Amino acid sequence: MPTMDTVLTGITTTGTPHIGNYVGAIRPAVTASTREDARTFFFLADYHALVKSTDPDQIARSTLEIAAAWLASGLDPEKVVLYRQSDIPEIPELAWILTCVTAKGLMNRAHAYKAAVAENEAGAGKDPDRGITMGLFSYPILMAADILMFKANKVPVGRDQKQHVEMARDVAARFNHHFGKTFVLPDAVINDETAVLPGLDGRKMSKSYGNTIPVFLPENRLRKAFMKIRTNSQLPHEPKDPDDSTLFAIYKAFATPGETEAMRARYREGIGWGDMKRFLFEYVNDHLSAAREEHGRLLAAPDHVERLLRQGAMKARAVSRPFLDEIRSRVGLRPLG
């Protein structure tokens, strides 16, 4: 009998979901949720958001927007476990237990932490610790707790998050070595076609760069956003390289393989940038219009979304509570009599 996969995906609640989130996480999550051979967990990473944002209203609003985005895109809460990270108290407790077995040297190698240190050292003050919180430093341990708590063996992530899944494997292996086989070792699942979607300026689409296209913008604002995408100075009828085009990269993330190849031919024929922008807007707008309408309905019904998240938390805790009891016992946190 084949083994059933456990798939886990999360999105940090620090802003409005953009089309990079949609093609890289939300849409694959919905596809994964239809698998009969997998149990799927989807969570709103609001504890992680505290590392990146000090705006409580933004975190609360983002939680609603992202939950609504998943639901509007077709995620069925009856078929998956959809929950808010902060509704699962077992996760931060597990994070502390894992912290106590995680080597500091492993955390020193985390890409986000190293990048922050390097930026500080290049600055005027030369203080490597400036602005670095323990939340940033320990971020991979909390992510490990998210993954290991639900025994996920498949974790869909962007390539920039692969290291965090590898760290979760290292932490799990170290714990298993000291306390006996407890945790499943997870594998990162990366879709190279949608791992890194470029934004308005050609860099990776990211809230930190301010170059995103929110996925459920009203039609007129979505049109304006696509018209702002940066292109080069090539004229209409000049052959163009699709693999060096932000417009093509976005189109490819939505289009079928046949449509993608047909567009490659139009690039070779010299499609004008204005024509491409208009075509891309119309194509993506058609793709998103039904989900956008449902997303608006859900935003207007936060009590309904809250109820679904509470129900998901009950299902998640039915897994996390007994497993944490087992983990506590393994490390010696057990009744005396």
PDB file of all heavy atoms in Angstrom, residues 268-302:
ATOM      1  N   ARG A 268       9.916  36.378 -30.932  1.00  0.00           N
ATOM      2  CA  ARG A 268      10.888  36.320 -32.027  1.00  0.00           C
ATOM      3  C   ARG A 268      10.444  37.201 -33.197  1.00  0.00           C
ATOM      4  O   ARG A 268      11.270  37.759 -33.920  1.00  0.00           O
ATOM      5  CB  ARG A 268      11.067  34.873 -32.487  1.00  0.00           C
ATOM      6  CG  ARG A 268      11.815  33.986 -31.491  1.00  0.00           C
ATOM      7  CD  ARG A 268      12.216  32.659 -32.126  1.00  0.00           C
ATOM      8  NE  ARG A 268      11.068  31.852 -32.486  1.00  0.00           N
ATOM      9  CZ  ARG A 268      10.503  30.943 -31.692  1.00  0.00           C
ATOM     10  NH1 ARG A 268      11.000  30.741 -30.463  1.00  0.00           N
ATOM     11  NH2 ARG A 268       9.462  30.242 -32.096  1.00  0.00           N
ATOM     12  N   GLU A 269       9.128  37.327 -33.361  1.00  0.00           N
ATOM     13  CA  GLU A 269       8.594  38.165 -34.434  1.00  0.00           C
ATOM     14  C   GLU A 269       8.617  39.650 -34.086  1.00  0.00           C
ATOM     15  O   GLU A 269       8.342  40.491 -34.938  1.00  0.00           O
ATOM     16  CB  GLU A 269       7.154  37.729 -34.757  1.00  0.00           C
ATOM     17  CG  GLU A 269       7.068  36.326 -35.350  1.00  0.00           C
ATOM     18  CD  GLU A 269       5.655  35.765 -35.296  1.00  0.00           C
ATOM     19  OE1 GLU A 269       4.743  36.491 -34.818  1.00  0.00           O
ATOM     20  OE2 GLU A 269       5.472  34.611 -35.713  1.00  0.00           O
ATOM     21  N   GLY A 270       8.907  39.974 -32.807  1.00  0.00           N
ATOM     22  CA  GLY A 270       9.053  41.369 -32.422  1.00  0.00           C
ATOM     23  C   GLY A 270       7.812  42.032 -31.859  1.00  0.00           C
ATOM     24  O   GLY A 270       7.557  43.206 -32.131  1.00  0.00           O
ATOM     25  N   ILE A 271       7.019  41.311 -31.077  1.00  0.00           N
ATOM     26  CA  ILE A 271       5.845  41.914 -30.451  1.00  0.00           C
ATOM     27  C   ILE A 271       6.244  43.197 -29.703  1.00  0.00           C
ATOM     28  O   ILE A 271       7.286  43.261 -29.057  1.00  0.00           O
ATOM     29  CB  ILE A 271       5.155  40.918 -29.482  1.00  0.00           C
ATOM     30  CG1 ILE A 271       3.847  41.508 -28.927  1.00  0.00           C
ATOM     31  CG2 ILE A 271       6.086  40.499 -28.355  1.00  0.00           C
ATOM     32  CD1 ILE A 271       3.015  40.517 -28.127  1.00  0.00           C
ATOM     33  N   GLY A 272       5.453  44.246 -29.838  1.00  0.00           N
ATOM     34  CA  GLY A 272       5.740  45.492 -29.145  1.00  0.00           C
ATOM     35  C   GLY A 272       5.438  45.397 -27.664  1.00  0.00           C
ATOM     36  O   GLY A 272       4.539  44.646 -27.247  1.00  0.00           O
ATOM     37  N   TRP A 273       6.186  46.163 -26.854  1.00  0.00           N
ATOM     38  CA  TRP A 273       5.991  46.076 -25.406  1.00  0.00           C
ATOM     39  C   TRP A 273       4.582  46.507 -25.004  1.00  0.00           C
ATOM     40  O   TRP A 273       3.969  45.917 -24.109  1.00  0.00           O
ATOM     41  CB  TRP A 273       7.029  46.921 -24.677  1.00  0.00           C
ATOM     42  CG  TRP A 273       8.441  46.420 -24.793  1.00  0.00           C
ATOM     43  CD1 TRP A 273       9.541  47.154 -25.138  1.00  0.00           C
ATOM     44  CD2 TRP A 273       8.911  45.098 -24.541  1.00  0.00           C
ATOM     45  NE1 TRP A 273      10.667  46.364 -25.125  1.00  0.00           N
ATOM     46  CE2 TRP A 273      10.311  45.092 -24.764  1.00  0.00           C
ATOM     47  CE3 TRP A 273       8.294  43.895 -24.175  1.00  0.00           C
ATOM     48  CZ2 TRP A 273      11.099  43.959 -24.614  1.00  0.00           C
ATOM     49  CZ3 TRP A 273       9.075  42.750 -24.027  1.00  0.00           C
ATOM     50  CH2 TRP A 273      10.454  42.796 -24.251  1.00  0.00           C
ATOM     51  N   GLY A 274       4.055  47.533 -25.642  1.00  0.00           N
ATOM     52  CA  GLY A 274       2.697  47.977 -25.314  1.00  0.00           C
ATOM     53  C   GLY A 274       1.675  46.899 -25.609  1.00  0.00           C
ATOM     54  O   GLY A 274       0.755  46.650 -24.809  1.00  0.00           O
ATOM     55  N   ASP A 275       1.820  46.232 -26.775  1.00  0.00           N
ATOM     56  CA  ASP A 275       0.904  45.147 -27.122  1.00  0.00           C
ATOM     57  C   ASP A 275       1.018  44.002 -26.126  1.00  0.00           C
ATOM     58  O   ASP A 275       0.008  43.401 -25.725  1.00  0.00           O
ATOM     59  CB  ASP A 275       1.205  44.637 -28.530  1.00  0.00           C
ATOM     60  CG  ASP A 275       0.810  45.635 -29.613  1.00  0.00           C
ATOM     61  OD1 ASP A 275      -0.003  46.533 -29.312  1.00  0.00           O
ATOM     62  OD2 ASP A 275       1.332  45.523 -30.740  1.00  0.00           O
ATOM     63  N   MET A 276       2.257  43.689 -25.715  1.00  0.00           N
ATOM     64  CA  MET A 276       2.457  42.594 -24.774  1.00  0.00           C
ATOM     65  C   MET A 276       1.844  42.919 -23.419  1.00  0.00           C
ATOM     66  O   MET A 276       1.233  42.059 -22.773  1.00  0.00           O
ATOM     67  CB  MET A 276       3.951  42.287 -24.633  1.00  0.00           C
ATOM     68  CG  MET A 276       4.253  41.125 -23.681  1.00  0.00           C
ATOM     69  SD  MET A 276       3.453  39.589 -24.211  1.00  0.00           S
ATOM     70  CE  MET A 276       3.693  38.552 -22.759  1.00  0.00           C
ATOM     71  N   LYS A 277       2.007  44.153 -22.967  1.00  0.00           N
ATOM     72  CA  LYS A 277       1.427  44.535 -21.680  1.00  0.00           C
ATOM     73  C   LYS A 277      -0.094  44.430 -21.709  1.00  0.00           C
ATOM     74  O   LYS A 277      -0.704  43.930 -20.760  1.00  0.00           O
ATOM     75  CB  LYS A 277       1.851  45.956 -21.306  1.00  0.00           C
ATOM     76  CG  LYS A 277       3.304  46.071 -20.887  1.00  0.00           C
ATOM     77  CD  LYS A 277       3.666  47.512 -20.538  1.00  0.00           C
ATOM     78  CE  LYS A 277       5.112  47.618 -20.085  1.00  0.00           C
ATOM     79  NZ  LYS A 277       5.491  48.998 -19.722  1.00  0.00           N
ATOM     80  N   ARG A 278      -0.700  44.901 -22.790  1.00  0.00           N
ATOM     81  CA  ARG A 278      -2.165  44.816 -22.900  1.00  0.00           C
ATOM     82  C   ARG A 278      -2.627  43.372 -22.962  1.00  0.00           C
ATOM     83  O   ARG A 278      -3.607  42.980 -22.310  1.00  0.00           O
ATOM     84  CB  ARG A 278      -2.648  45.592 -24.135  1.00  0.00           C
ATOM     85  CG  ARG A 278      -2.612  47.111 -23.949  1.00  0.00           C
ATOM     86  CD  ARG A 278      -3.265  47.824 -25.121  1.00  0.00           C
ATOM     87  NE  ARG A 278      -2.445  47.723 -26.325  1.00  0.00           N
ATOM     88  CZ  ARG A 278      -1.470  48.572 -26.629  1.00  0.00           C
ATOM     89  NH1 ARG A 278      -1.196  49.591 -25.836  1.00  0.00           N
ATOM     90  NH2 ARG A 278      -0.773  48.426 -27.755  1.00  0.00           N
ATOM     91  N   PHE A 279      -1.912  42.553 -23.738  1.00  0.00           N
ATOM     92  CA  PHE A 279      -2.269  41.145 -23.852  1.00  0.00           C
ATOM     93  C   PHE A 279      -2.138  40.455 -22.496  1.00  0.00           C
ATOM     94  O   PHE A 279      -3.021  39.685 -22.085  1.00  0.00           O
ATOM     95  CB  PHE A 279      -1.365  40.463 -24.882  1.00  0.00           C
ATOM     96  CG  PHE A 279      -1.642  38.993 -25.041  1.00  0.00           C
ATOM     97  CD1 PHE A 279      -2.595  38.551 -25.937  1.00  0.00           C
ATOM     98  CD2 PHE A 279      -0.953  38.044 -24.280  1.00  0.00           C
ATOM     99  CE1 PHE A 279      -2.868  37.191 -26.079  1.00  0.00           C
ATOM    100  CE2 PHE A 279      -1.212  36.697 -24.409  1.00  0.00           C
ATOM    101  CZ  PHE A 279      -2.171  36.263 -25.312  1.00  0.00           C
ATOM    102  N   LEU A 280      -1.032  40.724 -21.788  1.00  0.00           N
ATOM    103  CA  LEU A 280      -0.797  40.086 -20.495  1.00  0.00           C
ATOM    104  C   LEU A 280      -1.863  40.490 -19.489  1.00  0.00           C
ATOM    105  O   LEU A 280      -2.387  39.640 -18.750  1.00  0.00           O
ATOM    106  CB  LEU A 280       0.592  40.462 -19.974  1.00  0.00           C
ATOM    107  CG  LEU A 280       0.975  39.891 -18.602  1.00  0.00           C
ATOM    108  CD1 LEU A 280       0.987  38.374 -18.646  1.00  0.00           C
ATOM    109  CD2 LEU A 280       2.349  40.427 -18.191  1.00  0.00           C
ATOM    110  N   PHE A 281      -2.191  41.775 -19.439  1.00  0.00           N
ATOM    111  CA  PHE A 281      -3.241  42.219 -18.521  1.00  0.00           C
ATOM    112  C   PHE A 281      -4.545  41.482 -18.783  1.00  0.00           C
ATOM    113  O   PHE A 281      -5.195  40.967 -17.859  1.00  0.00           O
ATOM    114  CB  PHE A 281      -3.461  43.728 -18.629  1.00  0.00           C
ATOM    115  CG  PHE A 281      -4.827  44.137 -18.155  1.00  0.00           C
ATOM    116  CD1 PHE A 281      -5.143  44.090 -16.795  1.00  0.00           C
ATOM    117  CD2 PHE A 281      -5.818  44.507 -19.063  1.00  0.00           C
ATOM    118  CE1 PHE A 281      -6.426  44.418 -16.352  1.00  0.00           C
ATOM    119  CE2 PHE A 281      -7.090  44.832 -18.624  1.00  0.00           C
ATOM    120  CZ  PHE A 281      -7.392  44.795 -17.267  1.00  0.00           C
ATOM    121  N   GLU A 282      -4.961  41.445 -20.038  1.00  0.00           N
ATOM    122  CA  GLU A 282      -6.244  40.808 -20.368  1.00  0.00           C
ATOM    123  C   GLU A 282      -6.232  39.323 -20.024  1.00  0.00           C
ATOM    124  O   GLU A 282      -7.219  38.777 -19.515  1.00  0.00           O
ATOM    125  CB  GLU A 282      -6.557  41.021 -21.854  1.00  0.00           C
ATOM    126  CG  GLU A 282      -6.878  42.470 -22.183  1.00  0.00           C
ATOM    127  CD  GLU A 282      -6.941  42.735 -23.675  1.00  0.00           C
ATOM    128  OE1 GLU A 282      -6.759  41.765 -24.455  1.00  0.00           O
ATOM    129  OE2 GLU A 282      -7.164  43.899 -24.067  1.00  0.00           O
ATOM    130  N   TYR A 283      -5.087  38.675 -20.282  1.00  0.00           N
ATOM    131  CA  TYR A 283      -4.987  37.243 -20.001  1.00  0.00           C
ATOM    132  C   TYR A 283      -5.078  36.983 -18.494  1.00  0.00           C
ATOM    133  O   TYR A 283      -5.848  36.132 -18.040  1.00  0.00           O
ATOM    134  CB  TYR A 283      -3.657  36.708 -20.552  1.00  0.00           C
ATOM    135  CG  TYR A 283      -3.526  35.208 -20.458  1.00  0.00           C
ATOM    136  CD1 TYR A 283      -3.903  34.396 -21.524  1.00  0.00           C
ATOM    137  CD2 TYR A 283      -3.022  34.592 -19.307  1.00  0.00           C
ATOM    138  CE1 TYR A 283      -3.795  33.019 -21.450  1.00  0.00           C
ATOM    139  CE2 TYR A 283      -2.906  33.224 -19.225  1.00  0.00           C
ATOM    140  CZ  TYR A 283      -3.294  32.436 -20.295  1.00  0.00           C
ATOM    141  OH  TYR A 283      -3.196  31.074 -20.202  1.00  0.00           O
ATOM    142  N   VAL A 284      -4.281  37.694 -17.706  1.00  0.00           N
ATOM    143  CA  VAL A 284      -4.260  37.487 -16.261  1.00  0.00           C
ATOM    144  C   VAL A 284      -5.584  37.932 -15.635  1.00  0.00           C
ATOM    145  O   VAL A 284      -6.104  37.281 -14.730  1.00  0.00           O
ATOM    146  CB  VAL A 284      -3.065  38.223 -15.628  1.00  0.00           C
ATOM    147  CG1 VAL A 284      -3.120  38.137 -14.106  1.00  0.00           C
ATOM    148  CG2 VAL A 284      -1.753  37.633 -16.142  1.00  0.00           C
ATOM    149  N   ASN A 285      -6.142  39.027 -16.134  1.00  0.00           N
ATOM    150  CA  ASN A 285      -7.414  39.509 -15.599  1.00  0.00           C
ATOM    151  C   ASN A 285      -8.514  38.472 -15.796  1.00  0.00           C
ATOM    152  O   ASN A 285      -9.319  38.228 -14.880  1.00  0.00           O
ATOM    153  CB  ASN A 285      -7.789  40.826 -16.276  1.00  0.00           C
ATOM    154  CG  ASN A 285      -9.032  41.448 -15.669  1.00  0.00           C
ATOM    155  OD1 ASN A 285      -9.084  41.728 -14.477  1.00  0.00           O
ATOM    156  ND2 ASN A 285     -10.049  41.659 -16.491  1.00  0.00           N
ATOM    157  N   ASP A 286      -8.560  37.856 -16.955  1.00  0.00           N
ATOM    158  CA  ASP A 286      -9.548  36.796 -17.198  1.00  0.00           C
ATOM    159  C   ASP A 286      -9.334  35.628 -16.243  1.00  0.00           C
ATOM    160  O   ASP A 286     -10.299  35.037 -15.741  1.00  0.00           O
ATOM    161  CB  ASP A 286      -9.464  36.308 -18.644  1.00  0.00           C
ATOM    162  CG  ASP A 286     -10.038  37.302 -19.639  1.00  0.00           C
ATOM    163  OD1 ASP A 286     -10.742  38.234 -19.196  1.00  0.00           O
ATOM    164  OD2 ASP A 286      -9.774  37.147 -20.846  1.00  0.00           O
ATOM    165  N   HIS A 287      -8.074  35.316 -15.998  1.00  0.00           N
ATOM    166  CA  HIS A 287      -7.744  34.191 -15.122  1.00  0.00           C
ATOM    167  C   HIS A 287      -8.207  34.452 -13.690  1.00  0.00           C
ATOM    168  O   HIS A 287      -8.642  33.529 -12.990  1.00  0.00           O
ATOM    169  CB  HIS A 287      -6.234  33.948 -15.154  1.00  0.00           C
ATOM    170  CG  HIS A 287      -5.785  32.772 -14.361  1.00  0.00           C
ATOM    171  ND1 HIS A 287      -5.621  31.512 -14.907  1.00  0.00           N
ATOM    172  CD2 HIS A 287      -5.477  32.645 -13.045  1.00  0.00           C
ATOM    173  CE1 HIS A 287      -5.231  30.673 -13.968  1.00  0.00           C
ATOM    174  NE2 HIS A 287      -5.122  31.338 -12.824  1.00  0.00           N
ATOM    175  N   LEU A 288      -8.123  35.699 -13.249  1.00  0.00           N
ATOM    176  CA  LEU A 288      -8.347  36.023 -11.836  1.00  0.00           C
ATOM    177  C   LEU A 288      -9.731  36.579 -11.531  1.00  0.00           C
ATOM    178  O   LEU A 288     -10.077  36.732 -10.360  1.00  0.00           O
ATOM    179  CB  LEU A 288      -7.305  37.054 -11.378  1.00  0.00           C
ATOM    180  CG  LEU A 288      -5.841  36.615 -11.378  1.00  0.00           C
ATOM    181  CD1 LEU A 288      -4.949  37.793 -11.003  1.00  0.00           C
ATOM    182  CD2 LEU A 288      -5.616  35.456 -10.410  1.00  0.00           C
ATOM    183  N   SER A 289     -10.525  36.894 -12.546  1.00  0.00           N
ATOM    184  CA  SER A 289     -11.744  37.664 -12.306  1.00  0.00           C
ATOM    185  C   SER A 289     -12.723  36.972 -11.360  1.00  0.00           C
ATOM    186  O   SER A 289     -13.264  37.612 -10.442  1.00  0.00           O
ATOM    187  CB  SER A 289     -12.429  37.982 -13.639  1.00  0.00           C
ATOM    188  OG  SER A 289     -12.748  36.800 -14.345  1.00  0.00           O
ATOM    189  N   ALA A 290     -12.964  35.676 -11.529  1.00  0.00           N
ATOM    190  CA  ALA A 290     -13.920  34.979 -10.663  1.00  0.00           C
ATOM    191  C   ALA A 290     -13.408  34.913  -9.228  1.00  0.00           C
ATOM    192  O   ALA A 290     -14.162  35.143  -8.268  1.00  0.00           O
ATOM    193  CB  ALA A 290     -14.187  33.572 -11.202  1.00  0.00           C
ATOM    194  N   ALA A 291     -12.123  34.600  -9.078  1.00  0.00           N
ATOM    195  CA  ALA A 291     -11.537  34.534  -7.738  1.00  0.00           C
ATOM    196  C   ALA A 291     -11.536  35.910  -7.079  1.00  0.00           C
ATOM    197  O   ALA A 291     -11.745  36.031  -5.867  1.00  0.00           O
ATOM    198  CB  ALA A 291     -10.112  33.973  -7.814  1.00  0.00           C
ATOM    199  N   ARG A 292     -11.318  36.967  -7.864  1.00  0.00           N
ATOM    200  CA  ARG A 292     -11.320  38.325  -7.314  1.00  0.00           C
ATOM    201  C   ARG A 292     -12.692  38.674  -6.744  1.00  0.00           C
ATOM    202  O   ARG A 292     -12.797  39.268  -5.660  1.00  0.00           O
ATOM    203  CB  ARG A 292     -10.925  39.317  -8.403  1.00  0.00           C
ATOM    204  CG  ARG A 292     -10.904  40.762  -7.921  1.00  0.00           C
ATOM    205  CD  ARG A 292     -10.283  41.673  -8.968  1.00  0.00           C
ATOM    206  NE  ARG A 292     -11.010  41.620 -10.211  1.00  0.00           N
ATOM    207  CZ  ARG A 292     -10.433  41.550 -11.424  1.00  0.00           C
ATOM    208  NH1 ARG A 292      -9.131  41.513 -11.555  1.00  0.00           N
ATOM    209  NH2 ARG A 292     -11.177  41.524 -12.507  1.00  0.00           N
ATOM    210  N   GLU A 293     -13.739  38.285  -7.446  1.00  0.00           N
ATOM    211  CA  GLU A 293     -15.094  38.559  -6.955  1.00  0.00           C
ATOM    212  C   GLU A 293     -15.349  37.820  -5.634  1.00  0.00           C
ATOM    213  O   GLU A 293     -15.897  38.380  -4.685  1.00  0.00           O
ATOM    214  CB  GLU A 293     -16.118  38.140  -8.007  1.00  0.00           C
ATOM    215  CG  GLU A 293     -17.552  38.442  -7.623  1.00  0.00           C
ATOM    216  CD  GLU A 293     -18.541  38.091  -8.727  1.00  0.00           C
ATOM    217  OE1 GLU A 293     -18.091  37.837  -9.866  1.00  0.00           O
ATOM    218  OE2 GLU A 293     -19.758  38.059  -8.453  1.00  0.00           O
ATOM    219  N   GLU A 294     -14.935  36.557  -5.571  1.00  0.00           N
ATOM    220  CA  GLU A 294     -15.120  35.775  -4.340  1.00  0.00           C
ATOM    221  C   GLU A 294     -14.258  36.321  -3.209  1.00  0.00           C
ATOM    222  O   GLU A 294     -14.683  36.353  -2.042  1.00  0.00           O
ATOM    223  CB  GLU A 294     -14.779  34.305  -4.607  1.00  0.00           C
ATOM    224  CG  GLU A 294     -14.847  33.397  -3.390  1.00  0.00           C
ATOM    225  CD  GLU A 294     -16.240  33.267  -2.801  1.00  0.00           C
ATOM    226  OE1 GLU A 294     -17.212  33.767  -3.395  1.00  0.00           O
ATOM    227  OE2 GLU A 294     -16.357  32.637  -1.724  1.00  0.00           O
ATOM    228  N   HIS A 295     -13.056  36.774  -3.529  1.00  0.00           N
ATOM    229  CA  HIS A 295     -12.175  37.359  -2.523  1.00  0.00           C
ATOM    230  C   HIS A 295     -12.829  38.587  -1.892  1.00  0.00           C
ATOM    231  O   HIS A 295     -12.797  38.764  -0.659  1.00  0.00           O
ATOM    232  CB  HIS A 295     -10.841  37.751  -3.175  1.00  0.00           C
ATOM    233  CG  HIS A 295      -9.805  38.225  -2.227  1.00  0.00           C
ATOM    234  ND1 HIS A 295      -9.438  39.552  -2.116  1.00  0.00           N
ATOM    235  CD2 HIS A 295      -9.027  37.567  -1.330  1.00  0.00           C
ATOM    236  CE1 HIS A 295      -8.499  39.691  -1.207  1.00  0.00           C
ATOM    237  NE2 HIS A 295      -8.227  38.511  -0.723  1.00  0.00           N
ATOM    238  N   GLY A 296     -13.451  39.419  -2.698  1.00  0.00           N
ATOM    239  CA  GLY A 296     -14.138  40.586  -2.169  1.00  0.00           C
ATOM    240  C   GLY A 296     -15.279  40.202  -1.245  1.00  0.00           C
ATOM    241  O   GLY A 296     -15.501  40.849  -0.205  1.00  0.00           O
ATOM    242  N   ARG A 297     -16.001  39.154  -1.604  1.00  0.00           N
ATOM    243  CA  ARG A 297     -17.098  38.697  -0.754  1.00  0.00           C
ATOM    244  C   ARG A 297     -16.584  38.219   0.598  1.00  0.00           C
ATOM    245  O   ARG A 297     -17.171  38.502   1.651  1.00  0.00           O
ATOM    246  CB  ARG A 297     -17.859  37.556  -1.453  1.00  0.00           C
ATOM    247  CG  ARG A 297     -19.134  37.125  -0.740  1.00  0.00           C
ATOM    248  CD  ARG A 297     -19.742  35.891  -1.374  1.00  0.00           C
ATOM    249  NE  ARG A 297     -18.932  34.708  -1.114  1.00  0.00           N
ATOM    250  CZ  ARG A 297     -18.949  34.023   0.042  1.00  0.00           C
ATOM    251  NH1 ARG A 297     -19.724  34.418   1.036  1.00  0.00           N
ATOM    252  NH2 ARG A 297     -18.208  32.950   0.195  1.00  0.00           N
ATOM    253  N   LEU A 298     -15.460  37.503   0.594  1.00  0.00           N
ATOM    254  CA  LEU A 298     -14.897  36.985   1.835  1.00  0.00           C
ATOM    255  C   LEU A 298     -14.344  38.103   2.711  1.00  0.00           C
ATOM    256  O   LEU A 298     -14.458  38.058   3.947  1.00  0.00           O
ATOM    257  CB  LEU A 298     -13.804  35.956   1.525  1.00  0.00           C
ATOM    258  CG  LEU A 298     -14.308  34.636   0.934  1.00  0.00           C
ATOM    259  CD1 LEU A 298     -13.147  33.842   0.336  1.00  0.00           C
ATOM    260  CD2 LEU A 298     -15.033  33.808   1.990  1.00  0.00           C
ATOM    261  N   LEU A 299     -13.720  39.102   2.097  1.00  0.00           N
ATOM    262  CA  LEU A 299     -13.218  40.233   2.879  1.00  0.00           C
ATOM    263  C   LEU A 299     -14.353  40.944   3.606  1.00  0.00           C
ATOM    264  O   LEU A 299     -14.154  41.497   4.692  1.00  0.00           O
ATOM    265  CB  LEU A 299     -12.486  41.230   1.981  1.00  0.00           C
ATOM    266  CG  LEU A 299     -11.152  40.792   1.387  1.00  0.00           C
ATOM    267  CD1 LEU A 299     -10.532  41.934   0.579  1.00  0.00           C
ATOM    268  CD2 LEU A 299     -10.178  40.341   2.472  1.00  0.00           C
ATOM    269  N   ALA A 300     -15.523  40.923   3.010  1.00  0.00           N
ATOM    270  CA  ALA A 300     -16.688  41.566   3.626  1.00  0.00           C
ATOM    271  C   ALA A 300     -17.345  40.670   4.675  1.00  0.00           C
ATOM    272  O   ALA A 300     -18.312  41.098   5.320  1.00  0.00           O
ATOM    273  CB  ALA A 300     -17.697  41.938   2.545  1.00  0.00           C
ATOM    274  N   ALA A 301     -16.834  39.459   4.851  1.00  0.00           N
ATOM    275  CA  ALA A 301     -17.408  38.518   5.814  1.00  0.00           C
ATOM    276  C   ALA A 301     -16.315  37.937   6.712  1.00  0.00           C
ATOM    277  O   ALA A 301     -16.082  36.723   6.733  1.00  0.00           O
ATOM    278  CB  ALA A 301     -18.150  37.406   5.075  1.00  0.00           C
ATOM    279  N   PRO A 302     -15.607  38.797   7.482  1.00  0.00           N
ATOM    280  CA  PRO A 302     -14.497  38.298   8.308  1.00  0.00           C
ATOM    281  C   PRO A 302     -14.920  37.274   9.356  1.00  0.00           C
ATOM    282  O   PRO A 302     -14.133  36.391   9.699  1.00  0.00           O
ATOM    283  CB  PRO A 302     -13.936  39.575   8.952  1.00  0.00           C
ATOM    284  CG  PRO A 302     -15.047  40.568   8.885  1.00  0.00           C
ATOM    285  CD  PRO A 302     -15.796  40.254   7.629  1.00  0.00           C
TER     286      PRO A 302
END
